[in-house]
Amino acid sequence: KTTLQWLWTFIQVAVLAPIVEEFVFRGVLIKVLWQRTGRVWLSAFVSGYLFAVIHPQFLGGIFPITLLGAILALVYAHTRSLLPCIIIHAINNGLITLMLWSVAG
């Protein structure tokens, strides 16, 4: 890949995906689940699990991604803001991407 292709991939993974996914999973899904169940922990777990299901490393990463999604849901429930969730998600994705690039060469 060229430098421009790597940069575009990084922007998609570390900037665009966190924004879109946080709006969907924390901006919409956790709210709906929480309103319907009245239980923030259950809603956080279910939305975290569904968050994990959409990711390509599903089989190997179901637990850690579910945990990340649940933590992000609880951050949202505590702050009532998507911004901290987007920042945490972006840092996570950015660091993972950089680590993968470092071993991929």
Side-chain angles (χ1 to χ4, degrees), residues 48-82:
Y49 176 76
L50 294 174
F51 176 71
V53 168
I54 69 152
H55 288 82
Q57 63 273 27
F58 174 70
L59 293 176
I62 190 76
F63 178 74
I65 298 172
T66 298
L67 183 61
L68 175 63
I71 289 168
L72 290 169
L74 294 172
V75 167
Y76 174 78
H78 179 72
T79 64
R80 304 294 173 116
S81 172
L82 290 177

Side-chain angles (χ1 to χ4, degrees), residues 10 13-14 17-18 21 68 88-98:
F10 187 82
V13 170
E21 291 176 1
L68 175 63
I88 293 165
H89 193 153
I91 290 169
N92 178 73
N93 286 13
L95 289 174
I96 289 171
T97 302
L98 292 175

